[in-house]
Amino acid sequence: MTYTVAVRELCEFTAKQGDLDLRFTPAPTALEGIAGHAVAASRRGAGYRAEVALSGSYQSLCVRGRADGYDPAQQRIDEVKTVKGRLDRQPASHRHLHWAQAKVYGWLLCVQEQLAHIDVALVYLDVGTQQETVFTERCSADDLRQHFEAQCRRFIAWAEQQVAHRVARDAALSTLVFPFGGFRTGQRPLAEAVYKAAVAGRCLLAQAPTGIGKTMGTLFPLLKAAPTQRIDKVFFLAAKTSGRQMALDALARLSDSAPALPLRVLELVARDKACEHPDKACHGESCPLARGFYDRLSAARAAAVADTRASLPAPALLQARVREVALQHEVCPYYLSQELARWADVVVGDYNYYFDLGGLLHGLAQANQWRTALLVDEAHNLVERGRKMFTAELHPAALAQARSSPIAAQHSPVKKALDKVRRAWVALDKAHPTPYTVLETFPDKLLAALQQCTTTLTDHFTDHPTEPDSALQTFYFDALHLQRMADLLDAHSMVDITQSSSAHPHRASKPGDSVICIRNVVPAPFLQPRLAAAHTSTLFSATLQPARYYADLLGLPDDHVWVDVESPFSAHQLQVQVARHISTRYPHRAASLAPIAALMAQQFRARPGNYLAFFSSYDYLQQAAALFAQQHPDIPHWCQSRRMLEGEQREFLARFTDTSQGIAFAVLGGAFAEGIDLPGKRLIGAFLATLGLPQVNPVNEQIRERMQALFGAGYDYTYLYPGLQKVVQAAGRVIRTPSDEGTVHLMDDRFAQTQVRALLPGWWTVG
């Protein structure tokens, strides 16, 4: 069996050396890189060939890639690298890697064109000045062949191990048996839909009830399909820690049921959770785990994936396991885990690892031409998470802190550039003094000032890499992100200015104190190419109704498949009551408190146990809890507080036991409204004192207008659908298993409306 590797992947494996060095080295964006390559190609002669596809073999290894350009007249191959700033500050390890890549392309071209020698050129194009710096070396074909074979020899032992692993993995997956003996009701049709989507190479949107085992019901069929569909990687993407843990638990169960299953499972965690030395910078002169990182990476990587248990596969590469291996080999755990993503079969991580503009997993998949399969857990969350990924804001405090930094005081060009941004910002606010303004485009003068400022800061950081300034860098990265989103601005986003007096009514607004935002409204144009890049993708959740709303906002392909899995639960398990005598509309909040408290106490006395009560805000929650405590002091209750830490959240949930009784007050859409599992007597009911509708404010009204223009359903897309999704998620905490029984009180007269009832689960019988 042949192992295929990209030129870049081969050289990054064999030619990286020395320290991990993340000192400020400004890099062009992907768009700047593409534009830079085009500029370089346009300057060449008429016979110049750009993007030359090349491939070659060494024993069982196939190496392929695209050379940036070849000039037959000069018999010169170009490896083009776009850069920012001074080349003389480029680490030697970077130049070494670039030469290694260029010479591999040189050999592949010599074979293809039957050349005895060739000029190999490293072309560095500065995207700021558009100037080229070219380093050229004349190489004989024999020298290039020796270089190529040396790289291949360093890689081939690993490649042969990978081939053997893949053969064993696929053989084991072909005979994999469902670990629970039989499927739960509803789990089989879900699994069948996932399998069929994988075989057809389609995108699946699957609504499946809470409690049927969606995680195993999606992972198992996708792994079964992997051998026949030649799937290289499965990416399980989740919005929250709880979703990632459920995936890891399901994969552990599969491994326990098939002890010889050679499946490499990698958990990716955030940098702040994996960093061993948060007080140190990421370079060899500061952090001992960055010093010599690439020199020790090979041994650490081999140890991480090694079979350490005699004929059994290596343990799952969970955070603790990766940390253990990393510290044994004195390398950084966080960056070791990123390297291991290349060699894992299943990667479990947050949405941003794939969908963000700089997503690690998507970047690796594209560079290596992997055939990938996506599982997107609790996909209803991807709408809001997607909007946040592609929204950019500038806050006046960030600019103020940057202007008052020591570097700004000491370096005149930096101070002048920041002051120019401030002047443009003040002028913009004077031109738009109203509390909230939506602009047609991003203001030209402010954009020009930001571009000049980031160029100045790029030059400064490049010239002074050992002078870090967190305030200056924070503003710099915020400004870069804003510029990037301004370049991509279209109907999917809007530009708005919010004066400080809008957020702080008791404080007078001054010019230059506004928040400037490029606000993404529809993430579909950004998510669509990421979904299209995968061989198959399944987006699943208990609340994906109506399907058209999610297809529109998430950018699902026109030929995507929709499945609504029938619930295994019956109406007798859940008593759903609408309190038609209560209105939780904002003007009626004060009047609603007494009847809400009375209804909650009545239900508790009729059937004592554990309940969750959800409110639209902390203020509303606190008012209701205070009145409830005053009128019903004998009924235990506890409340969610603002910005709860993880430990406090665990304490909150720990009060739900099989023998405890009481009512917990929580905020709809918060930490306890989804992703928690309280089966049996741990939770027997819920109260919903809200429809979950987003607040009517100038921002949401602008979003409503944009939704109306794009989809013809402005109110529904902005308010109704997002609100009812939260309600159904929260109510879904009550019935978790086929033996659960409980009660849900929908405490607002609007729940009786036909349009609202149509968005509630079909198996509910609403009284």
Side-chain angles (χ1 to χ4, degrees):
M1 181 176 177
T2 300
Y3 186 93
T4 301
V5 63
V7 171
R8 179 175 174 177
E9 179 76 8
L10 171 71
C11 293
E12 288 193 345
F13 187 97
T14 60
K16 277 191 171 182
Q17 60 185 23
D19 296 350
L20 177 70
D21 192 344
L22 298 183
R23 275 177 290 197
F24 190 86
T25 51
T29 65
L31 288 176
E32 288 174 328
I34 293 169
H37 278 73
V39 167
S42 70
R43 294 172 174 173
R44 295 337 187 233
Y48 189 77
R49 291 157 52 191
E51 295 289 314
V52 183
L54 297 168
S55 65
S57 299
Y58 178 80
Q59 296 181 15
S60 59
L61 194 63
C62 174
V63 181
R64 66 186 181 191
R66 287 185 178 273
D68 291 322
Y70 174 56
D71 187 336
Q74 296 189 48
Q75 208 163 304
R76 189 182 91 170
I77 187 169
D78 290 344
E79 174 70 3
V80 180
K81 300 295 183 183
T82 52
V83 296
K84 284 183 176 180
R86 290 169 51 181
L87 265 183
D88 59 355
R89 295 194 180 277
Q90 183 185 55
S93 58
H94 290 197
R95 187 75 54 84
H96 178 79
L97 174 61
H98 298 162
W99 273 121
Q101 293 173 342
K103 290 181 177 181
V104 168
Y105 283 123
W107 164 245
L108 297 178
L109 191 66
C110 283
V111 173
Q112 181 171 294
E113 302 293 319
Q114 297 183 330
L115 303 176
H117 63 82
I118 193 172
D119 286 350
V120 178
L122 270 184
V123 180
Y124 290 103
L125 186 138
D126 190 305
V127 296
T129 64
Q130 298 290 291
Q131 291 183 339
E132 291 183 24
T133 303
V134 182
F135 302 96
T136 306
E137 185 177 329
R138 173 154 294 194
C139 302
S140 70
D142 190 58
D143 286 343
L144 292 174
R145 176 186 58 78
Q146 291 181 41
H147 169 79
F148 172 75
E149 291 180 355
Q151 309 308 309
C152 290
R153 279 193 296 272
R154 293 189 194 121
F155 186 80
I156 202 160
W158 187 266
E160 289 172 349
Q161 182 191 66
Q162 286 299 106
V163 169
H165 168 75
R166 180 64 175 265
V167 169
R169 185 204 79 170
D170 286 353
L173 290 177
S174 298
T175 60
L176 189 64
V177 177
F178 193 68
F180 296 107
F183 289 92
R184 295 182 190 176
T185 305
Q187 200 175 34
R188 180 179 288 279
L190 173 62
E192 289 176 351
V194 173
Y195 186 87
K196 290 176 181 176
V199 170
R202 303 277 288 278
C203 175
L204 171 67
L205 185 66
Q207 179 170 268
T210 294
I212 68 165
K214 293 190 292 294
T215 305
M216 185 65 82
T218 53
L219 273 168
F220 175 77
L222 201 50
L223 291 172
K224 286 292 290 182
T228 59
Q229 299 309 305
R230 308 187 316 283
I231 292 172
D232 298 307
K233 313 281 181 186
V234 173
F235 297 150
F236 188 101
L237 308 168
K240 298 182 179 180
T241 303
S242 57
R244 299 196 295 274
Q245 190 57 53
M246 290 176 71
L248 295 170
D249 291 345
L251 290 161
R253 181 62 185 255
L254 279 172
S255 182
D256 290 343
S257 68
L261 178 64
L263 194 68
R264 292 178 184 160
V265 176
L266 173 67
E267 176 189 18
L268 289 178
V269 298
R271 180 172 170 176
D272 59 352
K273 292 186 178 180
C275 182
E276 290 291 314
H277 299 288
D279 59 324
K280 294 180 172 60
C282 292
H283 59 83
E285 295 175 19
S286 176
C287 180
L289 299 182
R291 191 178 307 124
F293 176 87
Y294 290 108
D295 299 330
R296 295 190 294 276
L297 174 61
S298 179
R301 178 172 48 210
V305 301
D307 177 351
T308 59
R309 297 179 292 165
S311 82
L312 294 181
L317 297 167
L318 308 185
Q319 181 182 3
R321 166 70 177 162
V322 173
R323 178 178 183 270
E324 175 189 348
V325 172
L327 297 184
Q328 285 174 355
H329 293 267
E330 299 181 85
V331 297
C332 171
Y334 177 70
Y335 287 101
L336 175 60
S337 70
Q338 296 209 344
E339 290 287 337
L340 292 173
R342 305 169 189 270
W343 315 108
D345 302 304
V346 182
V347 181
V348 178
D350 188 89
Y351 290 163
N352 68 285
Y353 280 109
Y354 188 83
F355 291 113
D356 189 83
L357 286 174
L360 168 75
L361 295 178
H362 177 261
L364 287 173
Q366 293 299 102
N368 295 286
Q369 299 179 338
W370 289 335
R371 198 171 171 91
T372 60
L374 306 181
L375 289 176
V376 183
D377 178 47
E378 301 291 4
H380 62 273
N381 285 307
L382 189 55
V383 173
E384 196 56 37
R385 283 290 302 277
R387 285 172 170 165
K388 289 180 179 178
M389 287 180 202
F390 312 119
T391 290
E393 288 185 331
L394 270 188
H395 290 263
L399 177 58
Q401 290 168 8
R403 293 175 71 219
S404 62
S405 71
I407 288 178
Q410 297 165 11
H411 297 272
S412 176
V414 171
K415 185 178 186 305
K416 287 180 180 178
L418 291 168
D419 287 347
K420 186 173 182 179
V421 172
R422 173 68 182 169
R423 289 194 297 272
W425 201 327
V426 168
L428 179 67
D429 281 359
K430 287 180 177 178
H432 302 283
T434 54
Y436 180 76
T437 307
V438 175
L439 305 177
E440 290 294 323
T441 60
F442 197 85
D444 290 339
K445 290 183 179 178
L446 179 59
L447 183 60
L450 286 169
Q451 288 171 335
Q452 182 181 333
C453 184
T454 54
T455 299
T456 300
L457 289 176
T458 296
D459 293 341
H460 174 81
F461 290 137
T462 304
D463 292 342
H464 305 85
T466 59
E467 292 182 15
D469 185 297
S470 60
L472 207 57
Q473 288 192 2
T474 295
F475 176 76
Y476 174 79
F477 288 122
D478 287 347
L480 281 181
H481 185 47
L482 195 77
Q483 287 173 227
R484 190 176 190 184
M485 298 319 300
D487 289 340
L488 300 170
L489 189 61
D490 208 330
H492 50 66
S493 301
M494 62 189 192
V495 181
D496 60 33
I497 308 170
T498 305
Q499 299 297 336
S500 60
S501 57
S502 300
H504 306 282
H506 304 296
R507 193 175 73 193
S509 180
K510 296 185 299 183
D513 279 359
S514 64
V515 175
I516 301 165
C517 181
I518 296 178
R519 191 181 307 276
N520 179 251
V521 176
V522 182
F526 300 104
L527 301 177
Q528 189 172 40
R530 300 299 170 96
L531 293 171
H535 168 67
T536 182
S537 54
T538 293
L539 298 88
F540 61 98
S541 170
T543 49
L544 292 173
Q545 194 77 16
R548 184 73 258 159
Y549 167 78
Y550 290 98
D552 285 341
L553 294 192
L554 298 179
L556 305 193
D558 292 337
D559 67 346
H560 77 275
V561 181
W562 159 254
V563 60
D564 188 2
V565 177
E566 186 177 353
S567 174
F569 309 126
S570 57
H572 79 269
Q573 289 181 257
L574 186 67
Q575 307 302 312
V576 183
Q577 300 293 328
V578 175
R580 292 171 173 81
H581 64 293
I582 296 175
S583 168
T584 63
R585 297 170 182 85
Y586 189 77
H588 306 154
R589 291 278 169 84
S592 72
L593 295 174
I596 285 173
L599 178 57
M600 290 168 59
Q602 179 185 348
Q603 173 62 39
F604 183 87
R605 298 192 200 286
R607 189 186 175 197
N610 290 319
Y611 294 84
L612 267 167
F614 293 100
F615 296 83
S616 56
S617 68
Y618 284 104
D619 289 341
Y620 195 18
L621 178 157
Q622 289 166 352
Q623 293 169 24
L627 182 65
F628 187 83
Q630 177 187 334
Q631 295 185 346
H632 308 284
D634 59 311
I635 300 178
H637 79 280
W638 58 102
C639 298
Q640 179 181 359
S641 60
R642 297 179 191 269
R643 293 179 289 277
M644 269 184 153
L645 301 176
E646 286 189 14
E648 294 171 320
Q649 292 178 15
R650 287 193 294 269
E651 291 175 9
F652 183 94
L653 292 174
R655 296 190 63 168
F656 294 87
T657 70
D658 289 335
T659 58
S660 64
Q661 296 181 356
I663 300 177
F665 289 67
V667 174
L668 190 71
F672 307 111
E674 63 175 273
I676 62 168
D677 199 23
L678 300 169
K681 293 182 179 179
R682 293 180 65 191
L683 183 69
I684 64 168
F687 304 96
L688 280 299
T690 172
L691 267 72
L693 305 182
Q695 184 182 23
V696 177
N697 58 35
V699 174
N700 284 334
E701 282 299 280
Q702 284 294 324
I703 293 174
R704 180 184 61 78
E705 290 183 17
R706 184 64 57 91
M707 292 296 193
Q708 185 66 34
L710 292 172
F711 307 114
Y715 176 80
D716 292 347
Y717 273 44
T718 306
Y719 295 106
L720 187 61
Y721 298 159
L724 268 294
Q725 173 265 312
K726 292 178 182 177
V727 167
V728 175
Q729 274 288 333
R733 302 310 97 201
V734 178
I735 304 298
R736 308 296 294 174
T737 73
S739 61
D740 285 355
E741 293 185 359
T743 303
V744 168
H745 286 278
L746 304 174
M747 299 190 294
D748 192 288
D749 61 279
R750 288 169 291 178
F751 281 111
Q753 296 174 2
T754 302
Q755 184 184 17
V756 173
R757 300 249 319 236
L759 297 171
L760 302 178
W763 65 276
W764 287 9
T765 299
V766 182

